[in-house]
Amino acid sequence: MRIWMKAAATTATALALGGIGAGIANAEPSGAPAAGAHPHHPGEHVEFSKNTKKHGTVTVDLQRGVVTAVNGSAVTVKSKDGYSQTYTLTPTTHVRKDKQKSQDSAVVVGDRIGIAAWADGGPLDARWVRDHGAAPAQPAPSAPITPAPSGS
């Protein structure tokens, strides 16, 4: 009888702890992602440090947004949250447009892009650009609805 009670207590403890673990695993994150953000990419602009074999520790600047200006090799990107940054496209920048290798000149105003650059204190030289083509047109603001005159 005593062995059975010990086994039951052990099983109950394991189930309780398993329930807590499942609760933690299924818990909502404390900070909700920005409205409209992709679940795996919670922000429109982020910087982080990365250790590389070739260059040591580098700071990487990532941004998603729409190209608002192109001036020679300089590209200005504006995110939905209003953040705007200018990047330089260099001969070593890897550009992909519509899922294919492309040229710097393929990046044009109005394109939706994701861009990565090394933020080393100097100009932001783009390392990678993923161009998704023209941004969808914004819907025109609708006219207010005017109520019908009374007595109609």
Side-chain angles (χ1 to χ4, degrees):
M1 177 89 158
R2 198 168 239 199
I3 295 173
W4 179 84
M5 289 177 70
K6 222 179 209 183
T10 304
T11 302
T13 303
L15 289 173
L17 290 176
I20 291 170
I24 292 170
N26 294 323
E28 288 291 321
S30 60
H38 189 278
H40 299 293
H41 308 283
E44 297 294 318
H45 173 253
V46 67
E47 281 190 3
F48 63 92
S49 296
K50 178 173 177 39
N51 191 15
T52 65
K53 289 181 182 178
K54 187 174 181 181
H55 302 285
T57 302
V58 296
T59 301
V60 180
D61 181 280
L62 298 175
Q63 184 178 0
R64 291 184 303 160
V66 176
V67 176
T68 58
V70 177
N71 185 3
S73 63
V75 175
T76 303
V77 181
K78 185 174 184 179
S79 299
K80 288 180 185 178
D81 61 4
Y83 179 82
S84 187
Q85 184 62 261
T86 301
Y87 301 88
T88 303
L89 303 182
T90 68
T92 60
T93 302
H94 299 278
V95 179
R96 293 188 64 80
K97 185 165 185 167
D98 298 324
K99 300 181 182 179
Q100 297 179 16
K101 189 175 180 179
S102 189
Q103 300 296 317
D104 298 359
S105 59
V107 178
V108 296
V109 172
D111 282 358
R112 294 174 302 124
I113 69 169
I115 192 163
W118 283 0
D120 59 2
L124 290 171
D125 292 340
R127 303 290 289 176
W128 305 274
V129 174
R130 180 70 47 102
D131 190 329
H132 300 285
Q138 297 296 321
S142 58
I145 298 174
T146 307
S150 59
S152 304

